[in-house]
Amino acid sequence: MAETLAVADNDNGPILQADGALDALESEAIHIFREVAGEFDRPVILFSGGKDSTLLLHLAIKAFWPAPVPFALLHVDTGHNFPEVIEFRDKVVAEHGLRLEVAAVQDWIDDGRLTERPDGTRNPLQTVPLLDSITTHKFDAVFGGGRRDEERARAKERIFSLRNAFGQWEPRRQRPELWNLYNGRHRPGEHVRVFPLSNWTELDVWHYIERENIELPAIYYAHQREVYLRDGMWLAEGPWGGPRDNEALISKTVRYRTVGDGSCTGAVESTAATIAEVIAEVAASRLTERGATRADDRMSEAAMEDRKREGYF
């Protein structure tokens, strides 16, 4: 059978993406969802309303259609999320009749289990609520939207990534995954993080969103927003603080390549208002979305790996 091609134009000519390549990625992800359903007792999908977790949910719905998705959703909510994303999250949950568990970082701060950071960012504070929620609900498999092209530590992950009884990642305990055979064995108290999008790239994600006509929060497309410049990133004003005395708010046409805690997630200057324009922009970029717009990954050379060892997703 001949493969069809999805085509988008940019200044350098057409960008081609074989439908067959997307079909293979989709098939792999659906296989992973079904494997987990067969091997584990209490899986959960991490869902924030961002593009990767929305794609993850779309694939889960496809994997079990016409039956409902047999997993709950979990969002570790920093309280510093963009309002458009939270509204979108709740809309999707309601439309599909899903069960959403929300672990609010603010609750952990209020009862003293966590302390607010001096820099105002709550992204590193998500680890404890995540691990507590996994323990409380006895989740034994946790689906995440991580991709290997995002960051060096994530490139080391297996699709089935074992976590010890403390929720920590031990790279040396990772298992080989030959011929698409996944080992879900774990001791009581341990769990497995599962990454069905491991082999996708940011460009794959956008081509698939275009093909499947997947709705996303509006902030992924160009819009006007008040932002200020800090450490080479355009940050938005919000409950997380900022701008500082020497940082001026400026109205710019921007979009977000990734969404997370507003204190450390930057926007990029962009006029890409459609999926085709976003695809052309991503194809021309030489930085991953996390490398370009996530301040939390710049704390040290091994910032992500250190957090993953502690239990971060």
Side-chain angles (χ1 to χ4, degrees):
M1 182 188 302
E3 293 183 343
T4 58
L5 298 175
V7 181
D9 290 322
N10 69 359
D11 292 339
N12 300 315
I15 302 162
L16 304 179
Q17 177 72 18
D19 271 351
L22 293 179
D23 288 341
L25 290 169
E26 178 190 74
S27 178
E28 178 187 55
I30 287 173
H31 168 68
I32 292 164
F33 272 110
R34 291 173 178 168
E35 280 288 300
V36 170
E39 287 193 47
F40 295 86
D41 295 322
R42 294 180 63 83
V44 68
I45 300 173
L46 295 176
F47 182 69
S48 65
K51 73 178 188 310
D52 294 321
S53 65
T54 299
L55 172 56
L56 202 62
L57 179 58
H58 178 87
L59 290 163
I61 291 169
K62 268 198 162 188
F64 301 104
W65 183 264
V69 176
F71 316 130
L73 308 181
L74 172 65
H75 183 206
V76 182
D77 185 355
T78 65
H80 288 175
N81 294 287
F82 296 96
E84 303 97 317
V85 180
I86 296 299
E87 290 170 12
F88 176 80
R89 179 201 71 183
D90 294 341
K91 174 187 170 186
V92 169
V93 168
E95 283 179 353
H96 294 286
L98 301 166
R99 179 166 63 89
L100 174 67
E101 302 286 348
V102 177
V105 169
Q106 187 64 53
D107 292 342
W108 270 254
I109 293 172
D110 290 343
D111 64 20
R113 286 177 286 176
L114 287 174
T115 302
E116 197 83 78
R117 290 169 54 93
D119 60 7
T121 183
R122 289 184 175 179
N123 214 50
L125 301 184
Q126 294 178 90
T127 300
V128 172
L130 171 66
L131 297 180
D132 286 353
S133 297
I134 290 171
T135 300
T136 299
H137 296 284
K138 295 182 169 60
F139 296 132
D140 54 0
V142 182
F143 288 100
R147 306 188 324 270
R148 290 181 179 135
D149 76 320
E150 289 182 276
E151 201 273 340
R152 285 173 292 183
R154 285 185 165 169
K156 297 179 181 180
E157 287 275 21
R158 299 289 194 265
I159 290 174
F160 274 33
S161 182
L162 182 68
R163 296 301 199 267
N164 66 21
F166 300 100
Q168 296 170 325
W169 179 54
E170 299 175 5
R172 292 185 179 182
R173 288 190 65 198
Q174 300 307 299
R175 296 133 171 195
E177 292 178 341
L178 307 175
W179 306 291
N180 293 331
L181 297 176
Y182 306 113
N183 185 349
R185 292 181 182 176
H186 59 285
R187 300 186 184 99
E190 296 179 337
H191 70 276
V192 174
R193 305 282 173 89
V194 184
F195 301 102
L197 305 183
S198 289
N199 293 324
W200 298 58
T201 66
E202 185 184 7
L203 197 56
D204 292 328
V205 168
W206 278 104
H207 276 296
Y208 190 78
I209 287 168
E210 179 182 48
R211 189 182 85 171
E212 300 286 305
N213 195 28
I214 298 172
E215 183 182 1
L216 294 178
I219 66 173
Y220 279 105
Y221 304 101
H223 60 283
Q224 287 291 124
R225 187 176 290 263
E226 295 283 314
V227 292
Y228 58 93
L229 188 63
R230 178 181 296 172
D231 298 329
M233 293 173 53
W234 291 109
L235 300 176
E237 186 179 26
W240 46 86
R244 297 169 184 159
D245 291 342
N246 60 337
E247 297 168 340
L249 278 174
I250 305 170
S251 180
K252 282 190 168 291
T253 302
V254 298
R255 74 175 192 88
Y256 286 85
R257 290 178 65 184
T258 181
V259 296
D261 190 84
S263 64
C264 61
T265 304
V268 294
E269 294 185 68
S270 172
T271 58
T274 66
I275 294 180
E277 290 170 347
V278 169
I279 288 172
E281 185 177 274
V282 170
S285 175
R286 294 297 174 262
L287 285 175
T288 69
E289 64 265 51
R290 291 194 69 93
T293 64
R294 292 299 288 267
D296 50 328
D297 290 345
R298 302 180 183 184
M299 293 179 180
S300 74
E301 284 291 319
M304 173 64 83
E305 182 156 341
D306 290 343
R307 281 179 288 152
K308 288 177 74 64
R309 287 180 184 274
E310 295 169 358
Y312 186 78
F313 41 86

